[in-house]
Amino acid sequence: MPVDTTKVRTVAVVGHTGAGKTSLVDAMLFFAKAVPARGSVADNLTEEIERKLTIHAKPLWLSVEGCTVTLLDTPGSADFLGETAAAIHVADAAIVVIDAAHGIDVGTRRLWKWLEVEHKPRLIFVSKLDKESTDFEKTVEQIREVFGKNCIAFELPLGKEAAFSKVLNLRTTPEADVPEELRDQFHAAHQSLEEAAAEQDDAMLEKYLGGTPLTLDEITKGTHVGVARGKIVPICCGSVEKELGVRQLLEAVVSLLPSPVDDGAWEADGGVKVEPNAKAAFSGQVFKVTVDPYAGALAYLRVVSGTLKADMDVVNGTRGGKERIPQLLRIVGKNQTVATDAGPGEIVALAKLKDTHLGDTLCDASKQVKFAAINFPKPVAFSAVHPHTQKDEEKISVAIHRTEAEDKTFRADRNANTHELVIAGMGDTHLAVIVDGWKRKIGVNVDLSVPKVDYKETITARAEGHYKHKKQSGGRGQYGEAYLKLAPRERASGFEFVDDVVGGSIPRNFIPAVEKGCVEAMLAGTVAGYPVVDVQASVYDGSYHDVDSNELSFKISGLQAFKDAMQKARPVLLEPVMNIAVSVPDQYMGDITGDLNHRRGRIMGVESADGLQCIKAQVPQSEMFKYCSELRSMTGGRGSFEMEFSHFETVPSHIAQKVVAEAQAAKKAAQES
Ligand SMILES: Nc1nc2c(ncn2[C@@H]2O[C@H](COP(=O)(O)OP(=O)(O)O)[C@@H](O)[C@H]2O)c(=O)[nH]1
Ligand SMILES: [Mg+2]
């Protein structure tokens, strides 16, 4: 029997690193008797144990009050935002965990924004209220200030810090159980949530405004609707340490958060609406692929419609191939159980699919659909990779291939000009975890370094060049002569070759050879040997020999004439300049703009949004390779940034001198070795 879809909850648990998400999920599973003991849900993968933090998003299953609940424990660190983004994408709602001792930080704001963009209903859990200098009321004030007045307390803690002893539920706790001194606060808070619930339904609002108090059932139903619409964000509270508020949170997940039915249809390509109907044709989306140390290759799938069972034949709606569905697994640490079926909203792990990748849609052959790709953040940290040995070099493409399959925030590119293999990710920790994994799982050993800058060269003035290639060595000689004019072209306009030869001083059939020579000359410019761009070369004169002229001779004369002209055409180095957007709390504004000036950055504008300053700037790429970690250390982890390539720009001469000197030293070293 498939479960009733209105009784399914799929919830991502998000918040900054150390907020207490993993501990909370563990406690929720324990309270729901889904695991035998506390500590069953933990950061248990090798890389997680080593670094004492959650790196992978993990689904965890429990049943409570007749509901099937899947919680997705996620990493809080910006380094692993890709995992969190995928979990948010397939969840119907989120629990945002805020550490009461810490308040709201930039990471939580960024997640909040992500949740808004993805239209995910949410509730807030204020955690660690057992800790010193925590104050629930103050935290609620901050939440309402930062995230809006639709965030409403649904619970109140009884007692503070070490004396915190009970969580009062504003909906369900009978007034008689509320201590005298808290009654006023309890009443006021109850009124706010009653009002918010009433506003979700005209009939209820009329009743409420007419002076009749709403029943518990009405309040719960009204809130449930309001949460699904994003009009109400309930604030719950507790302490995992003291085991307070966990049971109430489970109750809130069931009664206040939306089911897949409340969240409505998913949109597939071509505007096709896919309703979360358990009886319809099956469809689902893969949001994580991994190699589990116990279960092997796994694809995690969220069912969107229909009911998935083992042995079903399905189609990969993204790639077109067929797949046979294996056992439906639920994996918690070392333990796995097998589910008989999975309906809309449910998440299962599938072992050893043939050709199904992260983000792919699986569906019934009778109703093929393709869901939109999952939105991932762009990489911001870059490193060049240097394999230790020839063997490491050979195996590196296997390593890269595997990582690319599992992680859409990872990129690897061989730069055609610097010849370096550059990997990119969400932070230095992200890249370090990847490289450690290569060593441990594939036996590939590499070192990382700051990448080389992909410089280019161009000219800034018109100039002429000339070369006569003449060789007489017995037999048939070589002869070709070319006169060239070079002119600068607009940035990013590329190379143009013009044939201005009149009167046949160079025969037609040799003109392409002159052009070939120019193109070859442009591979390594005269400044520091970097590729030349944005130049017009016109050949306007030359001479030939009836017997000795050939293609090679004109190619050589084109190449040398180009070099001759380039030296006279005031050549310069160009460097890539990036557009960046840095978000930091107000107090760091001065430091950050000062630092950007130091990096030769140009501030293009500053916007303030949600209590953060967003600085837009253009900065040379050479100054930005390590910005990710440097920004985090300047701001105690509270700053973040995005970056994309903008354009090439002339390198200032004092810096160009250094680059030229380095290039000459490298050339000399290469010649000597
Ligand atoms: N005092 C106290 N500590 C907690 C509580 N919840 C979690 N912690 C501790 O906070 C630290 C981070 O918890 P964890 O669950 O790993 O946080 P995550 O990064 O959000 O998953 C751990 O040392 C937990 O033991 C709580 O309610 N009270
Ligand atoms: Mg965690």
Side-chain angles (χ1 to χ4, degrees), residues 595-664:
D595 174 73
L596 287 175
N597 280 328
H598 215 72
R599 292 173 196 267
R600 300 189 282 128
R602 233 189 340 258
I603 312 284
M604 312 297 281
V606 180
E607 282 164 29
S608 78
D610 310 328
L612 287 180
Q613 300 290 340
C614 177
I615 305 153
K616 299 225 161 100
Q618 292 191 330
V619 192
Q621 186 193 38
S622 60
E623 307 284 339
M624 292 303 292
F625 286 122
K626 291 286 137 200
Y627 193 59
C628 183
S629 52
E630 286 154 2
L631 174 67
R632 282 181 202 166
S633 78
M634 277 185 286
T635 58
R638 290 148 156 230
S640 68
F641 80 110
E642 285 168 25
M643 173 163 83
E644 61 184 16
F645 171 75
S646 171
H647 62 279
F648 275 91
E649 215 168 276
T650 309
V651 180
S653 62
H654 65 286
I655 291 180
Q657 278 165 15
K658 266 192 241 159
V659 177
V660 170
E662 276 165 25
Q664 280 165 349

Side-chain angles (χ1 to χ4, degrees), residues 251-413:
E251 191 275 329
V253 165
V254 169
S255 59
L256 305 183
L257 290 185
S259 74
V261 177
D262 300 311
D263 260 7
W266 276 40
E267 200 171 300
D269 269 16
V272 178
K273 295 263 191 276
V274 181
E275 295 291 342
N277 177 352
K279 296 206 174 81
F282 159 74
S283 69
Q285 185 168 29
V286 171
F287 67 96
K288 181 173 173 69
V289 299
T290 183
V291 178
D292 185 90
Y294 306 104
L298 289 179
Y300 284 90
L301 172 126
R302 164 177 166 139
V303 178
V304 177
S305 68
T307 301
L308 188 66
K309 285 183 174 22
D311 295 329
M312 265 169 58
D313 287 308
V314 300
V315 174
N316 183 317
T318 309
R319 272 159 227 282
K322 287 182 181 160
E323 293 280 7
R324 163 68 59 94
I325 296 296
Q327 285 185 324
L328 311 184
L329 298 177
R330 293 176 166 187
I331 296 170
V332 179
K334 292 179 193 174
N335 300 317
Q336 20 173 303
T337 53
V338 177
T340 49
D341 52 41
E346 290 190 78
I347 285 171
V348 290
L350 305 171
K352 303 188 176 60
L353 293 176
K354 268 190 326 207
D355 188 26
T356 291
H357 299 244
L358 177 53
D360 283 4
T361 302
L362 292 182
C363 57
D364 198 278
S366 69
K367 193 163 189 300
Q368 292 197 26
V369 290
K370 179 184 166 193
F371 295 114
I374 300 170
N375 202 2
F376 286 100
K378 283 200 200 108
V380 286
F382 304 84
S383 277
V385 177
H386 309 280
H388 286 186
T389 64
Q390 185 62 32
K391 253 208 173 121
D392 293 322
E393 173 87 52
E394 283 158 17
K395 280 195 285 189
I396 200 150
S397 58
V398 175
I400 285 174
H401 202 69
R402 260 205 220 175
T403 307
E404 279 175 339
E406 294 181 2
D407 186 344
K408 300 292 173 200
T409 59
F410 169 83
R411 305 253 161 87
D413 268 312

Side-chain angles (χ1 to χ4, degrees), residues 16-23 43 54 128 130-131 239-241:
H16 72 79
T17 305
K21 300 176 292 297
T22 302
S23 316
D43 299 322
T54 310
K128 301 197 190 180
D130 61 286
K131 287 186 87 170
S239 154
V240 171
E241 189 76 16

Side-chain angles (χ1 to χ4, degrees), residues 416-439:
N417 299 314
T418 64
H419 307 294
E420 274 186 333
L421 178 62
V422 175
I423 57 171
M426 299 305 296
D428 287 345
T429 308
H430 182 210
L431 294 180
V433 165
I434 288 168
V435 165
D436 284 355
W438 290 355
K439 184 174 174 180

